[in-house]
């Protein structure tokens, strides 16, 4: 998707159809986030954290916190985190995710962190596939 970085202009307004002053593919994400109950964040581990692509989209969600009434925080939403990596250094990513959940007041449904995966197909047959399935199934 074509998603540009947040400019930090504080010009957004959550209740507008397109809450951000920038017009790009976030126009598809804002209504989806407004309407959903559960948000699954999925990312490879890039330099000990979530990918820049995902982080950029998360920064842009800030527009939903602007204006009269915060449309991002709380609102009965919950979230889960799915990650894959070559190694196992997920600590910083999980710390960031936990802070995000705390700030957004979304219920943290947990995470599945699949280390030891470099090449396409490495994850086949590993227990994390079942864990992700079980996590999905546990969401009502
Ligand atoms: C830019 C970049 C940074 C990465 N940084 C890490 C890292 O810090 N730790 C790690 O274990 N793997 C790192 N990796 C490896 C990826 O996490 C790994 O290939 C992952 O399984 C890719 O998931 P995907 O197949 O869903 O794209 C990095 C890969 C790239 C391309």
């Amino acid at each position: 998707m074509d998603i540009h970085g947040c400019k930090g202009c504080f010009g957004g307004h959550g209740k507008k159809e397109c809450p951000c002053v920038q017009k790009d593919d976030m126009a598809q994400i804002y209504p989806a986030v407004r309407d959903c109950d559960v948000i699954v964040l999925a990312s490879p581990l890039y330099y000990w954290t979530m990918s820049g692509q995902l982080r950029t989209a998360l920064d842009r969600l800030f527009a939903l916190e602007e204006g009269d009434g915060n449309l991002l925080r709380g609102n009965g939403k919950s979230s889960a985190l799915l990650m894959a990596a070559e190694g196992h250094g997920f600590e910083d990513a999980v710390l960031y995710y936990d802070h995000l959940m705390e700030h957004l007041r979304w219920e943290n449904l947990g995470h599945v962190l699949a280390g030891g995966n470099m090449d396409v197909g490495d994850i086949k047959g590993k227990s994390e596939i079942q864990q992700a399935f079980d996590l999905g199934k546990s969401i009502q």
Side-chain angles (χ1 to χ4, degrees):
M1 297 178 93
D2 180 32
I3 295 176
H4 298 205
C6 176
K7 292 179 184 291
C9 69
F10 298 95
H13 197 291
K15 286 193 178 142
K16 284 193 183 156
E17 194 181 332
C18 192
C20 183
V21 299
Q22 299 192 69
K23 309 296 174 230
D24 56 18
D25 286 342
M26 281 302 290
Q28 297 172 52
I29 293 181
Y30 289 125
V33 169
R34 267 200 205 109
D35 295 346
C36 75
D37 301 312
V38 179
I39 295 174
V40 177
L41 302 178
S43 174
L45 186 70
Y46 281 177
Y47 289 123
W48 301 277
T49 190
M50 293 178 198
S51 69
Q53 291 92 325
L54 182 57
R55 292 284 310 277
T56 300
L58 287 167
D59 285 351
R60 292 284 303 285
L61 290 183
F62 179 67
L64 290 172
E65 298 208 50
E66 296 183 276
D68 51 331
N70 191 316
L71 296 184
L72 190 64
R73 281 179 116 176
N75 290 313
K77 293 191 196 307
S78 50
S79 177
L81 174 67
L82 306 179
M83 296 194 77
E86 180 184 9
H88 293 85
F90 293 105
E91 297 87 352
D92 290 2
V94 172
L95 188 67
Y96 167 78
Y97 176 71
D98 287 347
H99 280 148
L100 193 66
M101 292 303 105
E102 204 178 310
H103 167 75
L104 294 176
R105 300 179 194 148
W106 294 353
E107 185 189 352
N108 183 349
L109 300 173
H111 47 246
V112 178
L113 309 171
N117 299 295
M118 190 58 194
D119 296 321
V120 173
D122 280 354
I123 200 168
K124 269 192 190 146
K126 290 195 182 167
S127 61
E128 287 87 358
I129 297 284
Q130 186 64 40
Q131 284 174 36
F133 181 81
D134 292 342
L135 179 61
K137 242 189 143 183
S138 72
I139 296 170
Q140 302 294 320

